[in-house]
Coordinates of all heavy atoms in Angstrom, one line a residue:
M1 N 90.9 164.0 59.6 CA 92.1 164.2 60.4 C 91.7 164.2 61.9 O 92.5 163.8 62.7 CB 92.8 165.4 59.9 CG 94.1 165.6 60.5 SD 95.2 164.3 59.9 CE 96.6 165.3 59.5
E2 N 90.6 164.8 62.2 CA 90.2 164.9 63.6 C 90.1 163.5 64.3 O 90.5 163.3 65.4 CB 88.9 165.6 63.7 CG 89.0 167.0 64.3 CD 87.6 167.7 64.4 OE1 86.8 167.2 65.2 OE2 87.5 168.6 63.7
I3 N 89.5 162.6 63.5 CA 89.3 161.2 64.1 C 90.7 160.6 64.4 O 90.9 160.0 65.4 CB 88.5 160.3 63.1 CG1 87.1 160.9 63.0 CG2 88.5 158.9 63.6 CD1 86.3 160.2 62.0
I4 N 91.6 160.7 63.5 CA 93.0 160.2 63.7 C 93.6 160.7 64.9 O 94.1 160.1 65.8 CB 93.8 160.4 62.5 CG1 93.3 159.5 61.3 CG2 95.3 160.0 62.7 CD1 94.0 159.8 60.0
L5 N 93.5 162.1 65.1 CA 94.1 162.7 66.2 C 93.4 162.2 67.5 O 94.0 162.0 68.6 CB 94.0 164.2 66.2 CG 94.8 164.9 65.0 CD1 94.5 166.4 65.0 CD2 96.3 164.6 65.3
C6 N 92.1 162.0 67.5 CA 91.4 161.5 68.6 C 91.8 160.1 69.0 O 92.0 159.8 70.2 CB 89.9 161.6 68.3 SG 88.8 160.9 69.7
L7 N 92.1 159.3 68.1 CA 92.5 157.9 68.4 C 93.9 157.9 69.0 O 94.1 157.2 70.0 CB 92.6 157.1 67.1 CG 91.3 156.6 66.4 CD1 91.7 155.8 65.1 CD2 90.5 155.7 67.3
Y8 N 94.7 158.8 68.6 CA 96.1 158.8 69.2 C 96.1 159.6 70.6 O 97.0 159.4 71.3 CB 97.1 159.4 68.2 CG 97.5 158.5 67.2 CD1 96.8 158.4 65.9 CD2 98.5 157.6 67.4 CE1 97.1 157.5 65.0 CE2 98.8 156.6 66.5 CZ 98.1 156.6 65.3 OH 98.4 155.6 64.3
A9 N 95.0 160.3 70.9 CA 94.9 161.0 72.2 C 94.4 160.0 73.2 O 94.6 160.3 74.4 CB 94.1 162.2 72.1
M10 N 93.8 159.0 72.8 CA 93.2 158.0 73.8 C 94.2 157.1 74.4 O 95.1 156.6 73.7 CB 92.1 157.1 73.1 CG 90.9 157.8 72.7 SD 89.7 156.7 71.9 CE 89.0 155.8 73.3
T11 N 94.1 156.8 75.6 CA 95.0 155.9 76.3 C 94.7 154.5 75.8 O 93.5 154.2 75.5 CB 94.9 156.0 77.8 OG1 93.6 155.6 78.2 CG2 95.3 157.4 78.3
P12 N 95.6 153.5 75.9 CA 95.3 152.1 75.6 C 94.1 151.6 76.5 O 93.2 150.9 76.0 CB 96.5 151.4 75.9 CG 97.6 152.4 75.7 CD 97.0 153.7 76.2
E13 N 94.1 152.0 77.7 CA 93.0 151.6 78.6 C 91.7 152.0 78.1 O 90.7 151.3 78.0 CB 93.3 152.2 80.0 CG 92.2 151.9 81.1 CD 92.5 152.5 82.4 OE1 93.6 153.1 82.6 OE2 91.6 152.4 83.3
K14 N 91.6 153.3 77.6 CA 90.3 153.8 77.1 C 89.9 153.2 75.8 O 88.7 153.0 75.5 CB 90.4 155.3 77.0 CG 90.4 156.1 78.3 CD 90.4 157.5 78.1 CE 90.4 158.3 79.4 NZ 90.4 159.7 79.3
I15 N 90.9 152.8 75.0 CA 90.6 152.1 73.8 C 90.0 150.7 74.0 O 89.0 150.4 73.4 CB 91.9 152.0 72.9 CG1 92.4 153.3 72.4 CG2 91.7 151.0 71.7 CD1 93.8 153.3 71.8
V16 N 90.5 150.0 75.0 CA 90.0 148.7 75.3 C 88.6 148.9 75.9 O 87.7 148.1 75.5 CB 90.9 147.9 76.3 CG1 90.2 146.6 76.8 CG2 92.2 147.5 75.7
I17 N 88.4 149.8 76.7 CA 87.0 150.1 77.3 C 86.0 150.4 76.1 O 84.9 149.9 76.1 CB 87.1 151.2 78.3 CG1 87.8 150.7 79.6 CG2 85.7 151.7 78.7 CD1 88.2 151.8 80.6
S18 N 86.5 151.2 75.2 CA 85.6 151.6 74.1 C 85.3 150.4 73.2 O 84.1 150.3 72.7 CB 86.3 152.7 73.2 OG 86.4 153.9 73.9
L19 N 86.3 149.6 73.0 CA 86.0 148.3 72.2 C 85.0 147.5 72.8 O 84.1 146.9 72.2 CB 87.3 147.6 71.9 CG 88.3 148.2 71.0 CD1 89.6 147.6 71.0 CD2 87.7 148.2 69.6
K20 N 85.1 147.3 74.2 CA 84.1 146.5 74.9 C 82.7 147.1 74.8 O 81.7 146.5 74.7 CB 84.6 146.3 76.3 CG 85.8 145.3 76.4 CD 86.2 145.0 77.8 CE 87.3 144.0 77.8 NZ 87.8 143.6 79.1
E21 N 82.7 148.4 74.9 CA 81.4 149.2 74.8 C 80.8 149.0 73.5 O 79.5 149.0 73.3 CB 81.6 150.7 75.1 CG 81.8 150.9 76.6 CD 82.2 152.4 76.9 OE1 82.4 153.2 75.9 OE2 82.2 152.7 78.1
K22 N 81.6 148.8 72.4 CA 81.1 148.5 71.1 C 80.6 147.1 70.9 O 80.2 146.7 69.8 CB 82.2 148.9 70.0 CG 82.4 150.3 69.9 CD 83.5 150.6 68.9 CE 83.8 152.1 68.8 NZ 83.7 152.6 67.5
G23 N 80.8 146.3 72.0 CA 80.3 144.9 71.9 C 81.3 143.8 71.6 O 80.9 142.7 71.5
L24 N 82.6 144.2 71.6 CA 83.6 143.2 71.4 C 84.0 142.5 72.7 O 84.1 143.2 73.7 CB 84.8 143.8 70.7 CG 84.7 144.4 69.3 CD1 85.9 145.1 68.8 CD2 84.3 143.3 68.3
S25 N 84.2 141.3 72.6 CA 84.7 140.5 73.8 C 86.2 140.6 73.9 O 86.9 140.9 73.0 CB 84.3 139.0 73.7 OG 85.0 138.4 72.7
T26 N 86.7 140.3 75.1 CA 88.1 140.2 75.4 C 88.7 139.3 74.4 O 89.8 139.5 73.9 CB 88.4 139.9 76.8 OG1 87.8 140.8 77.7 CG2 89.9 139.8 77.1
S27 N 88.1 138.1 74.2 CA 88.6 137.1 73.3 C 88.8 137.6 71.8 O 89.8 137.4 71.2 CB 87.7 135.9 73.3 OG 88.1 134.9 72.4
Q28 N 87.8 138.4 71.3 CA 87.8 138.9 70.0 C 89.0 139.9 69.9 O 89.7 139.9 68.9 CB 86.5 139.6 69.6 CG 85.4 138.6 69.4 CD 84.1 139.3 69.2 OE1 83.7 140.2 70.0 NE2 83.4 139.0 68.1
I29 N 89.1 140.8 70.9 CA 90.1 141.8 70.9 C 91.5 141.1 70.9 O 92.4 141.5 70.1 CB 90.0 142.8 72.1 CG1 88.6 143.5 72.0 CG2 91.2 143.7 72.2 CD1 88.3 144.2 73.3
S30 N 91.7 140.2 71.8 CA 93.0 139.5 72.0 C 93.4 138.8 70.7 O 94.5 138.8 70.3 CB 93.1 138.6 73.2 OG 92.2 137.6 73.1
R31 N 92.5 138.1 70.1 CA 92.8 137.4 68.9 C 93.2 138.3 67.7 O 94.1 138.0 67.0 CB 91.6 136.5 68.4 CG 91.4 135.3 69.3 CD 90.3 134.4 68.8 NE 90.0 133.4 69.7 CZ 89.3 132.3 69.5 NH1 88.9 132.1 68.3 NH2 89.1 131.4 70.4
F32 N 92.5 139.4 67.6 CA 92.8 140.4 66.5 C 94.2 141.0 66.8 O 95.0 141.1 65.9 CB 91.8 141.4 66.4 CG 92.1 142.5 65.3 CD1 91.7 142.1 64.0 CD2 92.7 143.6 65.6 CE1 92.1 143.1 63.0 CE2 93.0 144.6 64.6 CZ 92.7 144.3 63.3
V33 N 94.4 141.4 68.0 CA 95.6 142.0 68.4 C 96.8 141.1 68.4 O 97.9 141.5 68.0 CB 95.4 142.7 69.8 CG1 96.8 143.3 70.3 CG2 94.4 143.9 69.7
G34 N 96.6 139.8 68.7 CA 97.7 138.8 68.8 C 98.3 138.7 70.1 O 99.6 138.6 70.2
C35 N 97.5 138.8 71.2 CA 98.0 138.7 72.5 C 97.0 137.9 73.3 O 96.0 137.4 72.8 CB 98.3 140.0 73.2 SG 96.8 141.0 73.4
T36 N 97.3 137.7 74.6 CA 96.4 136.9 75.5 C 95.2 137.7 76.0 O 95.3 139.0 76.1 CB 97.2 136.3 76.7 OG1 97.6 137.4 77.5 CG2 98.4 135.4 76.2
N37 N 94.2 137.0 76.5 CA 93.1 137.7 77.1 C 93.5 138.4 78.4 O 93.1 139.5 78.6 CB 92.0 136.7 77.5 CG 91.3 136.1 76.4 OD1 91.3 136.5 75.2 ND2 90.5 135.0 76.6
E38 N 94.4 137.8 79.1 CA 94.9 138.4 80.3 C 95.6 139.8 80.0 O 95.5 140.7 80.7 CB 95.9 137.5 81.0 CG 96.5 138.0 82.3 CD 97.5 137.1 82.9 OE1 97.9 136.1 82.3 OE2 97.9 137.4 84.1
Y39 N 96.4 139.8 78.9 CA 97.1 141.0 78.6 C 96.1 142.1 78.2 O 96.2 143.3 78.7 CB 98.0 140.7 77.4 CG 99.1 141.8 77.1 CD1 100.2 141.9 77.8 CD2 98.9 142.7 76.0 CE1 101.2 142.8 77.6 CE2 99.9 143.7 75.8 CZ 101.0 143.7 76.6 OH 102.0 144.7 76.3
V40 N 95.1 141.8 77.5 CA 94.0 142.8 77.2 C 93.3 143.3 78.4 O 93.1 144.5 78.6 CB 93.0 142.2 76.2 CG1 91.8 143.1 76.0 CG2 93.7 141.9 74.8
N41 N 93.0 142.3 79.3 CA 92.4 142.7 80.6 C 93.3 143.6 81.4 O 92.7 144.6 82.0 CB 92.0 141.5 81.4 CG 90.8 140.8 80.8 OD1 89.9 141.4 80.3 ND2 90.7 139.5 81.0
K42 N 94.5 143.4 81.4 CA 95.4 144.2 82.2 C 95.5 145.6 81.6 O 95.6 146.6 82.3 CB 96.9 143.6 82.2 CG 97.0 142.5 83.2 CD 98.4 142.0 83.3 CE 98.5 140.8 84.3 NZ 99.8 140.3 84.4
I43 N 95.5 145.7 80.3 CA 95.5 147.0 79.6 C 94.2 147.7 80.0 O 94.1 148.9 80.3 CB 95.6 146.9 78.1 CG1 97.0 146.3 77.7 CG2 95.4 148.2 77.4 CD1 97.1 145.9 76.2
G44 N 93.0 147.0 79.9 CA 91.7 147.6 80.1 C 91.5 148.0 81.5 O 90.7 149.0 81.8
N45 N 92.1 147.3 82.5 CA 91.9 147.8 83.9 C 93.0 148.7 84.4 O 93.0 149.1 85.6 CB 91.6 146.6 84.8 CG 92.8 145.7 85.0 OD1 94.0 146.1 84.9 ND2 92.6 144.4 85.3
G46 N 94.0 149.0 83.5 CA 95.0 149.9 83.9 C 96.3 149.4 84.6 O 97.1 150.2 85.0
T47 N 96.3 148.1 84.8 CA 97.5 147.5 85.5 C 98.7 147.4 84.5 O 99.8 147.2 85.0 CB 97.2 146.2 86.2 OG1 96.7 145.3 85.2 CG2 96.1 146.3 87.2
R48 N 98.4 147.3 83.3 CA 99.6 147.3 82.3 C 99.7 148.7 81.7 O 98.9 149.1 80.8 CB 99.2 146.3 81.2 CG 100.3 146.1 80.1 CD 101.5 145.5 80.7 NE 102.5 145.3 79.6 CZ 103.8 145.2 79.8 NH1 104.2 145.2 81.0 NH2 104.6 145.0 78.8
K49 N 100.6 149.5 82.3 CA 100.7 150.9 82.0 C 101.4 151.2 80.7 O 101.0 152.2 80.0 CB 101.5 151.6 83.1 CG 100.8 151.6 84.5 CD 99.6 152.3 84.4 CE 99.0 152.4 85.8 NZ 97.6 152.9 85.8
K50 N 102.3 150.4 80.2 CA 103.0 150.7 78.9 C 103.0 149.4 78.1 O 104.0 148.8 77.9 CB 104.4 151.2 79.2 CG 104.5 152.5 79.9 CD 106.0 152.9 80.0 CE 106.0 154.3 80.7 NZ 107.4 154.8 80.8
P51 N 101.8 149.2 77.5 CA 101.8 148.0 76.6 C 102.7 148.2 75.4 O 103.0 149.3 75.0 CB 100.3 147.9 76.2 CG 99.7 149.2 76.5 CD 100.6 149.9 77.5
N52 N 103.0 147.1 74.8 CA 103.8 147.0 73.5 C 103.2 147.9 72.5 O 102.0 148.0 72.3 CB 103.9 145.6 73.0 CG 104.7 145.4 71.8 OD1 104.4 145.9 70.7 ND2 105.8 144.7 72.0
Y53 N 104.0 148.7 71.8 CA 103.5 149.7 70.8 C 102.8 149.0 69.7 O 101.8 149.5 69.1 CB 104.6 150.6 70.3 CG 105.6 150.0 69.3 CD1 105.3 150.0 67.9 CD2 106.6 149.3 69.8 CE1 106.2 149.4 67.0 CE2 107.5 148.7 68.9 CZ 107.3 148.8 67.5 OH 108.2 148.2 66.6
I54 N 103.2 147.8 69.3 CA 102.5 147.0 68.2 C 101.0 146.7 68.7 O 100.1 146.8 67.9 CB 103.3 145.8 67.9 CG1 104.6 146.2 67.2 CG2 102.5 144.9 66.8 CD1 105.6 145.0 67.0
V55 N 100.9 146.3 69.9 CA 99.6 145.9 70.5 C 98.7 147.2 70.4 O 97.5 147.2 70.0 CB 99.7 145.4 71.9 CG1 98.4 145.3 72.6 CG2 100.4 144.0 71.9
V56 N 99.3 148.4 70.8 CA 98.5 149.6 70.9 C 98.1 150.0 69.5 O 96.9 150.4 69.2 CB 99.3 150.7 71.6 CG1 98.5 152.0 71.5 CG2 99.6 150.3 73.0
D57 N 99.0 149.8 68.5 CA 98.6 150.2 67.1 C 97.5 149.3 66.6 O 96.6 149.7 66.0 CB 99.8 149.9 66.2 CG 100.8 151.1 66.3 OD1 100.5 152.2 66.9 OD2 101.9 151.0 65.8
R58 N 97.5 148.0 67.0 CA 96.5 147.1 66.6 C 95.1 147.4 67.3 O 94.0 147.3 66.7 CB 96.8 145.6 66.9 CG 98.0 145.1 66.1 CD 97.6 144.8 64.6 NE 96.8 143.6 64.5 CZ 96.3 143.2 63.5 NH1 96.4 143.8 62.3 NH2 95.6 142.1 63.5
L59 N 95.2 147.9 68.5 CA 94.0 148.3 69.3 C 93.4 149.5 68.6 O 92.2 149.6 68.4 CB 94.3 148.6 70.7 CG 94.6 147.5 71.6 CD1 95.1 148.0 73.0 CD2 93.4 146.6 71.8
R60 N 94.2 150.4 68.2 CA 93.7 151.7 67.5 C 93.1 151.2 66.1 O 92.1 151.8 65.7 CB 94.9 152.6 67.2 CG 95.3 153.3 68.5 CD 96.4 154.4 68.1 NE 96.7 155.0 69.4 CZ 98.0 155.1 69.8 NH1 99.0 154.6 69.1 NH2 98.3 155.7 70.9
E61 N 93.7 150.3 65.4 CA 93.1 149.9 64.1 C 91.8 149.2 64.4 O 90.9 149.5 63.6 CB 94.1 148.9 63.5 CG 93.7 148.3 62.2 CD 94.6 147.3 61.6 OE1 95.7 147.0 62.2 OE2 94.2 146.7 60.6
L62 N 91.7 148.5 65.4 CA 90.4 147.8 65.7 C 89.3 148.8 66.1 O 88.2 148.6 65.8 CB 90.7 146.7 66.8 CG 89.5 145.8 67.1 CD1 89.1 145.1 65.9 CD2 89.9 144.8 68.2
L63 N 89.7 149.8 66.9 CA 88.8 150.8 67.3 C 88.2 151.5 66.1 O 87.0 151.9 66.0 CB 89.4 151.8 68.3 CG 88.5 152.9 68.8 CD1 87.4 152.2 69.7 CD2 89.3 153.8 69.7
D64 N 89.1 151.7 65.1 CA 88.6 152.4 63.8 C 87.7 151.5 63.0 O 86.8 152.0 62.4 CB 89.9 152.8 63.1 CG 89.5 153.7 61.9 OD1 88.7 154.6 62.0 OD2 90.1 153.5 60.8
R65 N 88.0 150.2 63.1 CA 87.2 149.2 62.2 C 86.8 148.0 63.1 O 87.4 147.0 62.9 CB 88.0 148.9 61.0 CG 88.3 150.1 60.1 CD 88.9 149.8 58.8 NE 88.1 148.7 58.1 CZ 88.7 147.8 57.2 NH1 89.9 147.8 57.0 NH2 87.9 147.0 56.6
P66 N 85.9 148.1 64.0 CA 85.6 147.0 64.9 C 85.0 145.8 64.2 O 85.1 144.6 64.7 CB 84.6 147.6 65.9 CG 84.1 148.8 65.3 CD 85.1 149.3 64.3
E67 N 84.5 146.0 62.9 CA 83.9 144.8 62.2 C 85.0 143.8 61.9 O 84.7 142.7 61.6 CB 83.3 145.3 60.9 CG 84.2 145.9 59.9 CD 84.6 147.3 60.0 OE1 84.2 148.0 61.0 OE2 85.3 147.8 59.1
L68 N 86.3 144.2 61.9 CA 87.4 143.3 61.6 C 87.4 142.1 62.6 O 87.9 141.0 62.3 CB 88.7 144.0 61.6 CG 88.9 145.1 60.5 CD1 90.3 145.8 60.8 CD2 88.9 144.4 59.2
A69 N 86.9 142.3 63.8 CA 87.1 141.3 64.9 C 85.7 140.5 65.1 O 85.7 139.6 65.9 CB 87.6 141.9 66.2
R70 N 84.7 141.0 64.5 CA 83.3 140.4 64.8 C 83.3 138.9 64.6 O 82.6 138.2 65.4 CB 82.3 141.1 63.9 CG 82.1 142.5 64.2 CD 81.0 142.8 65.2 NE 80.9 144.2 65.3 CZ 80.9 144.9 66.4 NH1 81.0 144.2 67.6 NH2 80.7 146.2 66.5
D71 N 84.0 138.3 63.6 CA 83.9 136.9 63.4 C 85.0 136.1 64.1 O 85.3 135.0 63.7 CB 83.9 136.6 61.9 CG 85.2 137.2 61.2 OD1 85.9 138.0 61.8 OD2 85.4 136.8 60.0
L72 N 85.8 136.7 65.0 CA 86.9 136.0 65.7 C 86.5 135.5 67.1 O 87.4 135.2 67.9 CB 88.0 137.0 65.9 CG 88.7 137.6 64.6 CD1 89.7 138.6 64.9 CD2 89.3 136.4 63.8
A73 N 85.2 135.4 67.4 CA 84.7 134.9 68.7 C 85.3 133.6 69.0 O 85.6 132.7 68.3 CB 83.2 134.9 68.7

């Protein structure tokens, strides 16, 4: 339960940064989430303040299981 609470406490910006620290590329993230590289970059650098909730849910899912995007390069 603690892990779930931690995921929901993270901002979308921090989630993208964490995914990149885990070795995922912007392209892998965007393909899994279903948006453009530019959108992911805007979330990651903080210029997209309120991303679509579906995108945020997919980012959280990917943070929990990064292996899902490893073959999407």
